[in-house]
Amino acid sequence: MNTCKKHFFYPMNNVIQDYAWGSHTSIEMLFDIKNTTGKPQAELWMGAHPNGCSLVTINGESILLSDLINEDKEAFLSSPTAQNFGELPYLFKVLAAEKALSIQVHPNKQQAVDGYEKEEKAGIELSAFNRNYKDNNHKPELVYALTTYKAMNGFREYEEIISLFTQMALPSISYLVDAFAQEPNAKGLKQFFKEMLSLEGETKEIAVTELVDYATRSSEGLFVQIQDLSEQYPNDIGLFTPLMLNVITLQPGEAMYLKACTPHAYINGTGLEIMANSDNVLRAGLTPKYMDIDELMSCTEFNSIPKSALLMQPIDIDGGMNYPIPVDDFKFSVLTPKSELPLTTQSAEILFAIDEDMTVNHTSGESVCVPKGHSIFVPAYTSKYTLQSLGKVARAFN
């Protein structure tokens, strides 16, 4: 099928992943996308990732978005994107978390290249339980809150971490806290973090029990959160991480960037997430999955990040707001085009109707309207088009 340049807009049929931590109701409530299976609706994927590729319909026939793009990558993606990435370089999602996701660190680009090559040479199967690197790409991310959205991101100030642990005075780990207090810097935090994650057997069980007992006696919000997490992940060493990482609640319309080498986790809420096209995850707790502590340590930066620095500061543009991203893989804007907003494509774009229907028009006369909760793929060759909606529209591009 030669579809190149026949259509300027491709309505998308997107995969919904039913991961166990997902919400059963949020996507249905926000977007009227019925949950007919009764399973969690955790993530709605928009893109060309092989684990959940979107479909587009052409002349009544559904084809994978990846197959469409592969017909002429330079036309669909733009020449620079085709040459630099060879694929749609981002994955766009709706993420609806009812339970907390695992604490994660994503490698930077060079670490991903080296790690992937090392595991390939070692003959570790891609599907193996102990495989760290599924590809050779980094995975920076942005999350934009659609509801109140609780997350952890980056290490707290060193003295704040020490103060929280000193306040609890847990006998089983007092020696680790004392050692960190003697060296309240990145080196001390690295050693403290590694020693905490490395606790095993009875020592770990005693430490977690002491933590949960303390949290149960406290009415402070942070310890109430630890109580809740302990019900989701009993006896998990990751229950200590809210004391080490910034805990933040995004309000609807607020966004946060999650850079490489920084530990983070989503706790609950629904948001839009855009990321580089990668599946590389190193875990640090709140998970039954494989934890490679040595590899995690080598890919983690132990800098403290002030909580005040976590929220992104959007830039006003014609028709909405742009969220500046420090990588080339993806860009992100939220538009409010009450009247026809002229747009120009320089790459492949995905438009997602957040809360109202949206309509796109091309000078050729082609016009497409899609309801809220649905998306459109706009090829680079579309060049110029207009967008209109009574609500907000998210624009993913690169």
Side-chain angles (χ1 to χ4, degrees):
M1 179 192 301
N2 182 11
T3 58
C4 185
K5 299 194 177 182
K6 287 186 177 180
H7 296 275
F8 296 102
F9 309 116
Y10 295 87
M12 302 166 70
N13 185 5
N14 300 308
V15 173
I16 296 180
Q17 309 284 10
D18 60 359
Y19 306 137
W21 47 260
S23 171
H24 288 77
T25 59
S26 187
I27 287 179
E28 180 172 356
M29 289 176 62
L30 288 172
F31 308 121
D32 299 329
I33 298 174
K34 299 300 181 185
N35 185 354
T36 57
T37 66
K39 297 180 179 179
Q41 292 178 307
E43 294 184 349
L44 184 151
W45 284 25
M46 297 171 278
H49 195 284
N51 291 343
C53 187
S54 299
L55 293 169
V56 294
T57 302
I58 303 167
N59 302 325
E61 180 184 349
S62 290
I63 69 167
L64 292 171
L65 178 59
S66 55
D67 288 344
L68 177 71
I69 291 171
N70 287 337
E71 288 185 6
D72 190 338
K73 290 182 180 180
E74 293 202 350
F76 283 99
L77 301 177
S78 80
S79 294
T81 299
Q83 291 167 14
N84 292 334
F85 296 97
E87 62 181 2
L88 188 68
Y90 57 83
L91 178 60
F92 192 23
K93 299 179 180 179
V94 176
L95 186 149
E98 189 171 295
K99 299 178 182 177
L101 283 69
S102 61
I103 300 146
Q104 305 178 8
V105 170
H106 304 307
N108 64 31
K109 178 63 175 177
Q110 190 58 56
Q111 290 164 343
V113 169
D114 293 344
Y116 181 78
E117 181 181 0
K118 179 181 177 181
E119 292 187 336
E120 285 290 281
K121 287 183 177 178
I124 302 173
E125 292 290 333
L126 276 175
S127 58
F129 176 74
N130 62 335
R131 178 87 187 212
N132 292 315
Y133 297 93
K134 304 297 178 65
D135 51 67
N136 63 359
N137 203 11
H138 63 170
K139 193 185 176 186
E141 302 173 352
L142 173 147
V143 61
Y144 173 91
L146 297 174
T147 67
T148 53
Y149 196 94
K150 184 167 285 189
M152 292 184 275
N153 186 10
F155 287 109
R156 296 173 181 265
E157 302 280 7
Y158 304 129
E159 296 292 352
E160 184 182 8
I161 299 172
I162 293 166
S163 176
L164 286 169
F165 276 88
T166 302
Q167 168 190 329
M168 294 190 301
L170 306 184
S172 63
I173 57 169
S174 60
Y175 69 102
L176 295 177
V177 178
D178 291 343
F180 183 21
Q182 294 297 314
E183 198 170 14
N185 51 34
K187 182 179 178 183
L189 176 58
K190 182 175 183 178
Q191 187 63 30
F192 179 69
F193 192 62
K194 182 177 182 179
E195 294 285 353
M196 288 296 298
L197 292 183
S198 300
L199 294 176
E200 293 181 332
E202 186 179 3
T203 306
K204 170 191 159 187
E205 290 183 14
I206 293 171
V208 172
T209 299
E210 289 176 353
L211 170 66
V212 174
D213 286 348
Y214 183 92
T216 302
R217 297 193 305 271
S218 174
S219 59
E220 289 183 48
L222 177 61
F223 291 102
V224 172
Q225 183 66 70
I226 291 173
Q227 291 176 48
D228 183 52
L229 291 174
S230 71
E231 294 175 6
Q232 298 177 33
Y233 297 97
N235 200 38
D236 192 300
I237 199 64
L239 296 175
F240 282 99
T241 51
L243 302 164
M244 301 185 227
L245 305 182
N246 293 301
V247 179
I248 183 171
T249 300
L250 303 179
Q251 298 304 316
E254 293 182 331
M256 182 170 64
Y257 182 69
L258 301 103
K259 65 179 183 178
C261 305
T262 302
H264 62 271
Y266 299 144
I267 299 174
N268 59 58
T270 300
L272 297 176
E273 185 184 34
I274 183 168
M275 64 193 67
N277 201 28
S278 171
D279 197 25
N280 286 325
V281 175
L282 297 163
R283 292 178 175 83
L286 302 184
T287 181
K289 296 182 180 179
Y290 178 61
M291 284 174 49
D292 186 333
I293 294 174
D294 289 338
E295 193 67 25
L296 171 74
M297 300 302 293
S298 70
C299 291
T300 301
E301 294 178 357
F302 291 89
N303 305 317
S304 62
I305 301 175
K307 191 173 182 179
S308 60
L310 293 177
L311 283 183
M312 298 189 73
Q313 301 302 317
I315 299 169
D316 285 315
I317 57 172
D318 288 343
M321 309 291 286
N322 184 62
Y323 293 80
I325 309 294
V327 296
D328 296 329
D329 306 67
F330 60 87
K331 306 298 178 189
F332 180 77
S333 300
V334 175
L335 307 173
T336 50
K338 290 182 173 59
S339 57
E340 282 198 321
L341 176 67
L343 296 171
T344 301
T345 60
Q346 296 179 331
S347 66
E349 303 184 356
I350 294 174
L351 302 176
F352 177 78
I354 295 176
D355 48 13
E356 294 285 350
D357 299 355
M358 67 177 172
T359 301
V360 288
N361 296 290
H362 191 264
T363 54
S364 66
E366 185 175 340
S367 178
V368 175
C369 179
V370 300
K372 69 176 181 180
H374 293 263
S375 58
I376 292 175
F377 176 72
V378 184
Y381 64 69
T382 298
S383 184
K384 295 180 185 296
Y385 67 98
T386 62
L387 169 67
Q388 189 169 7
S389 175
L390 296 177
K392 295 180 180 179
V393 175
R395 186 190 193 194
F397 55 109
N398 78 293

